[in-house]
Amino acid sequence: QVQLVESGGGLVQPGASLRLSCVASGFTLDSYAIGWFRQAPGKEREGVSCIRPSDRGTYYKDSVKGRFTMSRDDAKNTVVLQMDNLKPEDTAIYYCARRAIPSCALALATDGARSFDAWGQGTQVTVSS
């Protein structure tokens, strides 16, 4: 059974850091592109980052470049999203997802989420003073 479980969310002040984890079961992460998405109240879901299976190449939404880092730990079958210098506009539920194809091409584009076939339940991130 394919399953993704996120953890690590919480309430932090602006400028703080959080480390989100996504543990996969039922498949191995190194064969799939994995993405992080977020959805804020009243807003559309948006792609945040993606990691390629072949060479661990990563892609980021412009607004998080330089602040967020995505990585993969094959031994733990886990992907991590390290989020630094958090801002109030980063507040959202964060989801990890498995893509049906082993590529990050257009994964973060509008409607890119449609190409992901397995999703976690999400973890809440709130950035507020």
Side-chain angles (χ1 to χ4, degrees):
Q1 180 182 359
V2 172
Q3 192 172 16
L4 296 161
V5 179
E6 305 96 333
S7 63
L11 170 63
V12 297
Q13 294 186 338
S17 297
L18 279 175
R19 185 178 177 88
L20 304 185
S21 294
C22 171
V23 179
S25 58
F27 71 102
T28 53
L29 287 171
D30 61 0
S31 297
Y32 295 85
I34 302 297
W36 282 99
F37 293 80
R38 68 187 182 187
Q39 187 164 20
K43 294 188 176 181
E44 295 289 322
R45 179 175 51 188
E46 61 180 7
V48 175
S49 64
C50 183
I51 188 165
R52 269 199 311 247
S54 55
D55 60 358
R56 302 178 191 233
T58 50
Y59 301 80
Y60 300 94
K61 175 180 174 63
D62 284 348
S63 63
V64 307
K65 285 180 181 177
R67 300 189 298 121
F68 289 13
T69 304
M70 186 175 183
S71 61
R72 195 182 76 215
D73 184 337
D74 291 344
K76 297 180 180 179
N77 214 32
T78 298
V79 291
V80 171
L81 185 66
Q82 176 67 40
M83 306 188 296
D84 298 319
N85 190 22
L86 283 160
K87 303 177 180 182
E89 51 264 39
D90 295 319
T91 295
I93 299 174
Y94 283 71
Y95 302 88
C96 65
R98 183 186 77 172
R99 202 176 197 197
I101 56 173
S103 167
C104 286
L106 300 178
L108 306 184
T110 302
D111 292 336
R114 293 185 179 183
S115 60
F116 287 76
D117 64 356
W119 293 79
Q121 83 289 347
T123 185
Q124 177 71 50
V125 171
T126 304
V127 185
S128 175
S129 54

mmCIF file with all atom_site columns, all heavy atoms in Angstrom, residues 1-5 23-29 31-32 76-77 98 118:
data_model
loop_
_atom_site.group_PDB
_atom_site.id
_atom_site.type_symbol
_atom_site.label_atom_id
_atom_site.label_alt_id
_atom_site.label_comp_id
_atom_site.label_asym_id
_atom_site.label_entity_id
_atom_site.label_seq_id
_atom_site.pdbx_PDB_ins_code
_atom_site.Cartn_x
_atom_site.Cartn_y
_atom_site.Cartn_z
_atom_site.occupancy
_atom_site.B_iso_or_equiv
_atom_site.pdbx_formal_charge
_atom_site.auth_seq_id
_atom_site.auth_comp_id
_atom_site.auth_asym_id
_atom_site.auth_atom_id
_atom_site.pdbx_PDB_model_num
ATOM 1   N N   . GLN A 1 1   ? 0.843  -1.191 0.000   1.00 0.00 ? 1   GLN A N   1
ATOM 2   C CA  . GLN A 1 1   ? 0.000  0.000  0.000   1.00 0.00 ? 1   GLN A CA  1
ATOM 3   C C   . GLN A 1 1   ? 0.880  1.244  0.000   1.00 0.00 ? 1   GLN A C   1
ATOM 4   O O   . GLN A 1 1   ? 1.736  1.419  0.859   1.00 0.00 ? 1   GLN A O   1
ATOM 5   C CB  . GLN A 1 1   ? -0.895 0.008  1.232   1.00 0.00 ? 1   GLN A CB  1
ATOM 6   C CG  . GLN A 1 1   ? -1.809 1.214  1.327   1.00 0.00 ? 1   GLN A CG  1
ATOM 7   C CD  . GLN A 1 1   ? -2.654 1.195  2.592   1.00 0.00 ? 1   GLN A CD  1
ATOM 8   O OE1 . GLN A 1 1   ? -2.559 0.264  3.378   1.00 0.00 ? 1   GLN A OE1 1
ATOM 9   N NE2 . GLN A 1 1   ? -3.453 2.222  2.781   1.00 0.00 ? 1   GLN A NE2 1
ATOM 10  N N   . VAL A 1 2   ? 0.661  2.104  -0.982  1.00 0.00 ? 2   VAL A N   1
ATOM 11  C CA  . VAL A 1 2   ? 1.431  3.337  -1.084  1.00 0.00 ? 2   VAL A CA  1
ATOM 12  C C   . VAL A 1 2   ? 0.948  4.332  -0.037  1.00 0.00 ? 2   VAL A C   1
ATOM 13  O O   . VAL A 1 2   ? -0.244 4.589  0.091   1.00 0.00 ? 2   VAL A O   1
ATOM 14  C CB  . VAL A 1 2   ? 1.283  3.928  -2.494  1.00 0.00 ? 2   VAL A CB  1
ATOM 15  C CG1 . VAL A 1 2   ? 1.913  5.323  -2.560  1.00 0.00 ? 2   VAL A CG1 1
ATOM 16  C CG2 . VAL A 1 2   ? 1.906  3.003  -3.526  1.00 0.00 ? 2   VAL A CG2 1
ATOM 17  N N   . GLN A 1 3   ? 1.885  4.883  0.713   1.00 0.00 ? 3   GLN A N   1
ATOM 18  C CA  . GLN A 1 3   ? 1.525  5.837  1.750   1.00 0.00 ? 3   GLN A CA  1
ATOM 19  C C   . GLN A 1 3   ? 2.631  6.880  1.906   1.00 0.00 ? 3   GLN A C   1
ATOM 20  O O   . GLN A 1 3   ? 3.818  6.559  1.810   1.00 0.00 ? 3   GLN A O   1
ATOM 21  C CB  . GLN A 1 3   ? 1.293  5.120  3.084   1.00 0.00 ? 3   GLN A CB  1
ATOM 22  C CG  . GLN A 1 3   ? 0.640  5.980  4.146   1.00 0.00 ? 3   GLN A CG  1
ATOM 23  C CD  . GLN A 1 3   ? 0.256  5.179  5.389   1.00 0.00 ? 3   GLN A CD  1
ATOM 24  O OE1 . GLN A 1 3   ? 0.728  4.063  5.581   1.00 0.00 ? 3   GLN A OE1 1
ATOM 25  N NE2 . GLN A 1 3   ? -0.606 5.746  6.219   1.00 0.00 ? 3   GLN A NE2 1
ATOM 26  N N   . LEU A 1 4   ? 2.215  8.115  2.141   1.00 0.00 ? 4   LEU A N   1
ATOM 27  C CA  . LEU A 1 4   ? 3.125  9.218  2.432   1.00 0.00 ? 4   LEU A CA  1
ATOM 28  C C   . LEU A 1 4   ? 2.642  9.876  3.719   1.00 0.00 ? 4   LEU A C   1
ATOM 29  O O   . LEU A 1 4   ? 1.460  10.202 3.831   1.00 0.00 ? 4   LEU A O   1
ATOM 30  C CB  . LEU A 1 4   ? 3.136  10.225 1.294   1.00 0.00 ? 4   LEU A CB  1
ATOM 31  C CG  . LEU A 1 4   ? 3.672  9.721  -0.058  1.00 0.00 ? 4   LEU A CG  1
ATOM 32  C CD1 . LEU A 1 4   ? 3.212  10.616 -1.197  1.00 0.00 ? 4   LEU A CD1 1
ATOM 33  C CD2 . LEU A 1 4   ? 5.177  9.646  -0.022  1.00 0.00 ? 4   LEU A CD2 1
ATOM 34  N N   . VAL A 1 5   ? 3.548  10.088 4.650   1.00 0.00 ? 5   VAL A N   1
ATOM 35  C CA  . VAL A 1 5   ? 3.177  10.681 5.927   1.00 0.00 ? 5   VAL A CA  1
ATOM 36  C C   . VAL A 1 5   ? 4.099  11.850 6.226   1.00 0.00 ? 5   VAL A C   1
ATOM 37  O O   . VAL A 1 5   ? 5.315  11.661 6.395   1.00 0.00 ? 5   VAL A O   1
ATOM 38  C CB  . VAL A 1 5   ? 3.241  9.645  7.063   1.00 0.00 ? 5   VAL A CB  1
ATOM 39  C CG1 . VAL A 1 5   ? 2.865  10.302 8.384   1.00 0.00 ? 5   VAL A CG1 1
ATOM 40  C CG2 . VAL A 1 5   ? 2.318  8.467  6.780   1.00 0.00 ? 5   VAL A CG2 1
ATOM 41  N N   . VAL A 1 23  ? 7.714  10.577 5.061   1.00 0.00 ? 23  VAL A N   1
ATOM 42  C CA  . VAL A 1 23  ? 8.139  9.187  5.045   1.00 0.00 ? 23  VAL A CA  1
ATOM 43  C C   . VAL A 1 23  ? 7.248  8.401  4.088   1.00 0.00 ? 23  VAL A C   1
ATOM 44  O O   . VAL A 1 23  ? 6.018  8.458  4.191   1.00 0.00 ? 23  VAL A O   1
ATOM 45  C CB  . VAL A 1 23  ? 8.066  8.571  6.448   1.00 0.00 ? 23  VAL A CB  1
ATOM 46  C CG1 . VAL A 1 23  ? 8.502  7.110  6.396   1.00 0.00 ? 23  VAL A CG1 1
ATOM 47  C CG2 . VAL A 1 23  ? 8.939  9.354  7.423   1.00 0.00 ? 23  VAL A CG2 1
ATOM 48  N N   . ALA A 1 24  ? 7.884  7.687  3.181   1.00 0.00 ? 24  ALA A N   1
ATOM 49  C CA  . ALA A 1 24  ? 7.142  6.906  2.188   1.00 0.00 ? 24  ALA A CA  1
ATOM 50  C C   . ALA A 1 24  ? 7.163  5.430  2.541   1.00 0.00 ? 24  ALA A C   1
ATOM 51  O O   . ALA A 1 24  ? 8.144  4.915  3.076   1.00 0.00 ? 24  ALA A O   1
ATOM 52  C CB  . ALA A 1 24  ? 7.751  7.113  0.806   1.00 0.00 ? 24  ALA A CB  1
ATOM 53  N N   . SER A 1 25  ? 6.076  4.748  2.220   1.00 0.00 ? 25  SER A N   1
ATOM 54  C CA  . SER A 1 25  ? 6.008  3.297  2.367   1.00 0.00 ? 25  SER A CA  1
ATOM 55  C C   . SER A 1 25  ? 5.237  2.729  1.179   1.00 0.00 ? 25  SER A C   1
ATOM 56  O O   . SER A 1 25  ? 4.431  3.413  0.561   1.00 0.00 ? 25  SER A O   1
ATOM 57  C CB  . SER A 1 25  ? 5.345  2.901  3.684   1.00 0.00 ? 25  SER A CB  1
ATOM 58  O OG  . SER A 1 25  ? 4.046  3.441  3.772   1.00 0.00 ? 25  SER A OG  1
ATOM 59  N N   . GLY A 1 26  ? 5.546  1.488  0.852   1.00 0.00 ? 26  GLY A N   1
ATOM 60  C CA  . GLY A 1 26  ? 4.885  0.842  -0.275  1.00 0.00 ? 26  GLY A CA  1
ATOM 61  C C   . GLY A 1 26  ? 5.570  1.069  -1.603  1.00 0.00 ? 26  GLY A C   1
ATOM 62  O O   . GLY A 1 26  ? 5.160  0.509  -2.626  1.00 0.00 ? 26  GLY A O   1
ATOM 63  N N   . PHE A 1 27  ? 6.598  1.907  -1.608  1.00 0.00 ? 27  PHE A N   1
ATOM 64  C CA  . PHE A 1 27  ? 7.385  2.148  -2.814  1.00 0.00 ? 27  PHE A CA  1
ATOM 65  C C   . PHE A 1 27  ? 8.699  2.793  -2.374  1.00 0.00 ? 27  PHE A C   1
ATOM 66  O O   . PHE A 1 27  ? 8.825  3.252  -1.241  1.00 0.00 ? 27  PHE A O   1
ATOM 67  C CB  . PHE A 1 27  ? 6.647  3.042  -3.806  1.00 0.00 ? 27  PHE A CB  1
ATOM 68  C CG  . PHE A 1 27  ? 6.527  4.488  -3.376  1.00 0.00 ? 27  PHE A CG  1
ATOM 69  C CD1 . PHE A 1 27  ? 7.360  5.458  -3.909  1.00 0.00 ? 27  PHE A CD1 1
ATOM 70  C CD2 . PHE A 1 27  ? 5.582  4.869  -2.433  1.00 0.00 ? 27  PHE A CD2 1
ATOM 71  C CE1 . PHE A 1 27  ? 7.255  6.777  -3.515  1.00 0.00 ? 27  PHE A CE1 1
ATOM 72  C CE2 . PHE A 1 27  ? 5.472  6.178  -2.030  1.00 0.00 ? 27  PHE A CE2 1
ATOM 73  C CZ  . PHE A 1 27  ? 6.313  7.151  -2.570  1.00 0.00 ? 27  PHE A CZ  1
ATOM 74  N N   . THR A 1 28  ? 9.678  2.840  -3.278  1.00 0.00 ? 28  THR A N   1
ATOM 75  C CA  . THR A 1 28  ? 10.957 3.465  -2.950  1.00 0.00 ? 28  THR A CA  1
ATOM 76  C C   . THR A 1 28  ? 11.037 4.837  -3.623  1.00 0.00 ? 28  THR A C   1
ATOM 77  O O   . THR A 1 28  ? 10.758 4.985  -4.816  1.00 0.00 ? 28  THR A O   1
ATOM 78  C CB  . THR A 1 28  ? 12.139 2.592  -3.397  1.00 0.00 ? 28  THR A CB  1
ATOM 79  O OG1 . THR A 1 28  ? 11.981 2.271  -4.794  1.00 0.00 ? 28  THR A OG1 1
ATOM 80  C CG2 . THR A 1 28  ? 12.173 1.306  -2.597  1.00 0.00 ? 28  THR A CG2 1
ATOM 81  N N   . LEU A 1 29  ? 11.446 5.815  -2.834  1.00 0.00 ? 29  LEU A N   1
ATOM 82  C CA  . LEU A 1 29  ? 11.474 7.193  -3.310  1.00 0.00 ? 29  LEU A CA  1
ATOM 83  C C   . LEU A 1 29  ? 12.427 7.396  -4.475  1.00 0.00 ? 29  LEU A C   1
ATOM 84  O O   . LEU A 1 29  ? 12.216 8.279  -5.307  1.00 0.00 ? 29  LEU A O   1
ATOM 85  C CB  . LEU A 1 29  ? 11.874 8.122  -2.165  1.00 0.00 ? 29  LEU A CB  1
ATOM 86  C CG  . LEU A 1 29  ? 10.824 8.351  -1.084  1.00 0.00 ? 29  LEU A CG  1
ATOM 87  C CD1 . LEU A 1 29  ? 11.446 9.115  0.075   1.00 0.00 ? 29  LEU A CD1 1
ATOM 88  C CD2 . LEU A 1 29  ? 9.628  9.092  -1.642  1.00 0.00 ? 29  LEU A CD2 1
ATOM 89  N N   . SER A 1 31  ? 12.829 6.051  -7.128  1.00 0.00 ? 31  SER A N   1
ATOM 90  C CA  . SER A 1 31  ? 12.297 5.730  -8.455  1.00 0.00 ? 31  SER A CA  1
ATOM 91  C C   . SER A 1 31  ? 11.264 6.735  -8.947  1.00 0.00 ? 31  SER A C   1
ATOM 92  O O   . SER A 1 31  ? 10.769 6.606  -10.069 1.00 0.00 ? 31  SER A O   1
ATOM 93  C CB  . SER A 1 31  ? 11.656 4.335  -8.451  1.00 0.00 ? 31  SER A CB  1
ATOM 94  O OG  . SER A 1 31  ? 12.615 3.342  -8.160  1.00 0.00 ? 31  SER A OG  1
ATOM 95  N N   . TYR A 1 32  ? 10.953 7.726  -8.124  1.00 0.00 ? 32  TYR A N   1
ATOM 96  C CA  . TYR A 1 32  ? 9.892  8.679  -8.447  1.00 0.00 ? 32  TYR A CA  1
ATOM 97  C C   . TYR A 1 32  ? 10.334 10.104 -8.168  1.00 0.00 ? 32  TYR A C   1
ATOM 98  O O   . TYR A 1 32  ? 11.117 10.355 -7.257  1.00 0.00 ? 32  TYR A O   1
ATOM 99  C CB  . TYR A 1 32  ? 8.635  8.394  -7.618  1.00 0.00 ? 32  TYR A CB  1
ATOM 100 C CG  . TYR A 1 32  ? 7.974  7.076  -7.910  1.00 0.00 ? 32  TYR A CG  1
ATOM 101 C CD1 . TYR A 1 32  ? 8.406  5.913  -7.288  1.00 0.00 ? 32  TYR A CD1 1
ATOM 102 C CD2 . TYR A 1 32  ? 6.914  6.999  -8.810  1.00 0.00 ? 32  TYR A CD2 1
ATOM 103 C CE1 . TYR A 1 32  ? 7.800  4.699  -7.559  1.00 0.00 ? 32  TYR A CE1 1
ATOM 104 C CE2 . TYR A 1 32  ? 6.296  5.787  -9.086  1.00 0.00 ? 32  TYR A CE2 1
ATOM 105 C CZ  . TYR A 1 32  ? 6.755  4.640  -8.462  1.00 0.00 ? 32  TYR A CZ  1
ATOM 106 O OH  . TYR A 1 32  ? 6.146  3.442  -8.731  1.00 0.00 ? 32  TYR A OH  1
ATOM 107 N N   . LYS A 1 76  ? 16.286 6.003  4.730   1.00 0.00 ? 76  LYS A N   1
ATOM 108 C CA  . LYS A 1 76  ? 15.074 6.153  5.530   1.00 0.00 ? 76  LYS A CA  1
ATOM 109 C C   . LYS A 1 76  ? 13.822 6.257  4.672   1.00 0.00 ? 76  LYS A C   1
ATOM 110 O O   . LYS A 1 76  ? 12.718 6.410  5.207   1.00 0.00 ? 76  LYS A O   1
ATOM 111 C CB  . LYS A 1 76  ? 15.186 7.385  6.418   1.00 0.00 ? 76  LYS A CB  1
ATOM 112 C CG  . LYS A 1 76  ? 16.310 7.315  7.439   1.00 0.00 ? 76  LYS A CG  1
ATOM 113 C CD  . LYS A 1 76  ? 16.363 8.581  8.286   1.00 0.00 ? 76  LYS A CD  1
ATOM 114 C CE  . LYS A 1 76  ? 17.487 8.500  9.310   1.00 0.00 ? 76  LYS A CE  1
ATOM 115 N NZ  . LYS A 1 76  ? 17.557 9.742  10.139  1.00 0.00 ? 76  LYS A NZ  1
ATOM 116 N N   . ASN A 1 77  ? 14.014 6.223  3.340   1.00 0.00 ? 77  ASN A N   1
ATOM 117 C CA  . ASN A 1 77  ? 12.898 6.401  2.405   1.00 0.00 ? 77  ASN A CA  1
ATOM 118 C C   . ASN A 1 77  ? 12.086 7.647  2.756   1.00 0.00 ? 77  ASN A C   1
ATOM 119 O O   . ASN A 1 77  ? 10.838 7.625  2.830   1.00 0.00 ? 77  ASN A O   1
ATOM 120 C CB  . ASN A 1 77  ? 11.989 5.164  2.373   1.00 0.00 ? 77  ASN A CB  1
ATOM 121 C CG  . ASN A 1 77  ? 11.406 4.909  0.986   1.00 0.00 ? 77  ASN A CG  1
ATOM 122 O OD1 . ASN A 1 77  ? 12.033 5.208  -0.035  1.00 0.00 ? 77  ASN A OD1 1
ATOM 123 N ND2 . ASN A 1 77  ? 10.202 4.367  0.936   1.00 0.00 ? 77  ASN A ND2 1
ATOM 124 N N   . ARG A 1 98  ? 3.790  12.014 -4.648  1.00 0.00 ? 98  ARG A N   1
ATOM 125 C CA  . ARG A 1 98  ? 4.569  11.232 -5.590  1.00 0.00 ? 98  ARG A CA  1
ATOM 126 C C   . ARG A 1 98  ? 4.063  11.501 -7.002  1.00 0.00 ? 98  ARG A C   1
ATOM 127 O O   . ARG A 1 98  ? 2.854  11.471 -7.273  1.00 0.00 ? 98  ARG A O   1
ATOM 128 C CB  . ARG A 1 98  ? 4.422  9.728  -5.281  1.00 0.00 ? 98  ARG A CB  1
ATOM 129 C CG  . ARG A 1 98  ? 5.254  8.833  -6.164  1.00 0.00 ? 98  ARG A CG  1
ATOM 130 C CD  . ARG A 1 98  ? 4.948  7.363  -5.907  1.00 0.00 ? 98  ARG A CD  1
ATOM 131 N NE  . ARG A 1 98  ? 3.694  6.951  -6.530  1.00 0.00 ? 98  ARG A NE  1
ATOM 132 C CZ  . ARG A 1 98  ? 3.305  5.680  -6.579  1.00 0.00 ? 98  ARG A CZ  1
ATOM 133 N NH1 . ARG A 1 98  ? 4.061  4.729  -6.025  1.00 0.00 ? 98  ARG A NH1 1
ATOM 134 N NH2 . ARG A 1 98  ? 2.163  5.356  -7.152  1.00 0.00 ? 98  ARG A NH2 1
ATOM 135 N N   . ALA A 1 118 ? -0.069 10.173 -5.657  1.00 0.00 ? 118 ALA A N   1
ATOM 136 C CA  . ALA A 1 118 ? -0.208 9.763  -4.257  1.00 0.00 ? 118 ALA A CA  1
ATOM 137 C C   . ALA A 1 118 ? 0.140  10.949 -3.377  1.00 0.00 ? 118 ALA A C   1
ATOM 138 O O   . ALA A 1 118 ? 1.139  11.637 -3.638  1.00 0.00 ? 118 ALA A O   1
ATOM 139 C CB  . ALA A 1 118 ? 0.694  8.577  -3.942  1.00 0.00 ? 118 ALA A CB  1
#
